[in-house]
Amino acid sequence: MKLSRRRVLQGLGGVMLGLPVLEGLLPRKAQAAEPGELPFAIFLRQADGVAAAQNTSELGSEPERFWPEPLGNLTTTTLAGKSLGELADHRARLLVVRNVNMKDYNYGDGHARGALQCLTARGPAVEGAGGDSEASGESLDHRIGRELNPQKRDSLYLYAGQAGGWLGGPCISHRGSASRRAALHDPWVAYQTMVGGPGGLTPEAREQLLVRQKSLNDLVSGQLKALQSRPELSSTDRQRLDLHLSNVRDLEVALSCRARADEELRLQQQAPGYNSTDGDEVLATVRLHMDIAVLAVACGTTRSVAIQVGNGNDSATRYRDPTTGQLMENFHYISHRRTSHDSSGGVIAGSDVLHSRVDAQFAQTFNYLLDRLAAYALPNGKKLVDQGVSVWFNDLGNGPAHSAHNIPFILAGSCNGYLKQGVAVTVASGSGNPNLNKMLNTIGAAVGLKNAAGGPLDDFGDPSLPKGLLTELLA
């Protein structure tokens, strides 16, 4: 049997696994796909809609501050003056998707409908429950892990912001009906969970095996080639060598998942910012979670990561106004345009502009993820960002109306050429408008999920919804 990552790390001490005793000797080439060749999905959830063009009773006609104008090829001109302009350097990798619509299930509250449906495309387990609602099905991030991860291990689910609150805090990832997943909140705990424990590598081992990314098999390539040339290997020898090379490959992958010592220290020193209501600290935690996500998909630990920012309606976080340097009202108030969690509070002057500044900070944070993925060069010469798809999405179309229509989905990375890039598109909606399930089908199919017949995933979500993909997104 293979050695577990925890067993390998605890017993490593910087020493390579010794070759097995062979009766004859060996041939065999290690067969393992490079982790970076496998497509992945990283999801970043923002609450409360975006500052798109709309008419509100509070402020009247609000101009377009989010979507590119016009749609089509993304340029610095089409992105100018919009929150998405923060992503201009990655515009050639972006796929901006308009007209993604949720079904208006009776969750009893717009935020519950959006947050619990956004990755499930499912209605409530019990109708009308509001803040006590649960989704009635599995989320896409979990299904990717369940079907595609090594050893079918759970995908990573990470959370930034104050614990608890509306919908109980973490609420977008689900194992199944009324079965919500617990999120990893502290980045240091999330990192240790990802690597399988604290390990104990020496600085020398990190330098040789992590920073230089030197393959353990390469270190003994001469000896292995000599062994492979021997004709007297028995079938037992071959099995032993196969096991040995598998263990070496497991060890190599485990080592590649570990950060440098200084990066580990940065993760440890983040506390208690991960449980903050200060938007600067919350987004700093998101960036640490993104560091962990990049490391995890690069080394093949997981094919899926979901990062949730703030609780169900992000009602506690106060993001900073970059023009004044002061913390704004909590984001839920800003999104409502009023100093209340309903329609009773006083109007916040210029709150549409403030909302757009929060959108811009999320765009900057998403840009950080893309920078990290683009900086990771793979052995095949490609960049990690292009092997998968990173998805920044919302759970509402806008704030004041809590719209279930025109939910923002910003994709980056083509999943090895599966998805279009460099454009903003409008997709068709079906009868009654819902097509969120097709959006999730398209992402799942791009990563490699299949339907029951073995074709590309096309039946995710509520079984009563029309099946299919959003063909407008396909390359």
Side-chain angles (χ1 to χ4, degrees), residues 70-378:
L71 300 183
N73 292 333
L74 294 172
T75 68
T76 54
T77 301
T78 64
L79 294 172
K82 308 297 191 292
S83 301
L84 290 181
E86 301 292 340
L87 299 170
D89 288 347
H90 289 286
R91 63 188 180 278
R93 290 190 171 97
L94 297 182
L95 177 55
V96 178
V97 188
R98 292 205 65 165
N99 201 34
V100 175
N101 303 313
M102 294 180 173
K103 187 171 180 178
D104 197 11
Y105 296 106
N106 179 20
Y107 271 96
D109 173 80
H111 289 285
R113 179 200 65 219
L116 299 173
Q117 183 183 173
C118 60
L119 288 180
T120 66
R122 290 270 189 164
V126 177
E127 289 198 0
D132 294 323
S133 290
E134 296 289 352
S136 64
E138 183 181 25
S139 58
L140 182 65
D141 62 304
H142 183 262
R143 178 161 173 179
I144 292 172
R146 178 172 61 82
E147 294 194 4
L148 301 181
N149 273 356
Q151 289 81 50
K152 312 303 180 187
R153 69 171 65 96
D154 275 354
S155 60
L156 283 177
Y157 178 30
L158 310 174
Y159 179 81
Q162 192 173 52
W166 185 249
L167 291 172
C171 57
I172 66 170
S173 186
H174 308 265
R175 296 183 184 278
S177 181
S179 181
R180 201 185 296 192
R181 295 181 64 199
L184 296 167
H185 199 178
D186 182 343
W188 177 239
V189 173
Y191 169 73
Q192 289 182 303
T193 300
M194 189 269 291
V195 300
L201 295 178
T202 66
E204 293 78 14
R206 282 196 179 91
E207 172 65 23
Q208 183 180 31
L209 300 175
L210 298 180
V211 178
R212 294 167 62 190
Q213 293 291 292
K214 203 163 190 178
S215 167
L216 294 176
N217 286 345
D218 289 344
L219 293 177
V220 292
S221 59
Q223 293 93 325
L224 289 176
K225 288 178 181 177
L227 288 173
Q228 288 170 338
S229 68
R230 303 291 293 269
E232 62 268 34
L233 293 176
S234 67
S235 60
T236 303
D237 287 339
R238 294 174 190 273
Q239 292 173 2
R240 288 173 178 168
L241 185 65
D242 183 74
L243 175 61
H244 169 72
L245 291 177
S246 296
N247 287 339
V248 170
R249 178 59 65 186
D250 282 353
L251 175 59
E252 183 181 8
V253 170
L255 290 172
S256 70
C257 287
R258 296 202 65 87
R260 297 192 310 267
D262 61 318
E263 293 173 333
E264 289 188 346
L265 182 61
R266 187 165 69 97
L267 289 169
Q268 293 180 64
Q269 292 176 336
Q270 172 67 9
Y274 67 86
N275 198 34
S276 176
T277 61
D278 183 313
D280 292 344
E281 294 182 343
V282 171
L283 293 178
T285 297
V286 174
R287 290 190 290 274
L288 289 176
H289 282 325
M290 287 174 168
D291 292 339
I292 294 166
V294 171
L295 197 59
V297 298
C299 69
T301 298
T302 185
R303 302 271 295 277
S304 173
V305 183
I307 303 173
Q308 178 181 333
V309 186
N311 61 24
N313 57 12
D314 203 1
S315 56
T317 312
R318 300 179 63 197
Y319 297 98
R320 192 171 302 279
D321 185 342
T323 63
T324 66
Q326 302 299 310
L327 292 176
M328 296 181 270
E329 273 288 3
N330 76 71
F331 187 35
H332 192 223
Y333 282 11
I334 296 291
S335 74
H336 271 248
R337 312 295 190 253
R338 293 180 178 273
T339 55
S340 65
H341 295 301
D342 51 29
S343 60
S344 64
V347 174
I348 302 174
S351 47
D352 59 332
V353 177
L354 300 180
H355 195 151
S356 73
R357 291 172 183 167
V358 175
D359 293 341
Q361 291 178 56
F362 272 87
Q364 292 164 4
T365 306
F366 189 57
N367 190 76
Y368 175 87
L369 171 64
L370 303 186
D371 282 346
R372 292 302 305 268
L373 289 166
Y376 202 109
L378 298 169

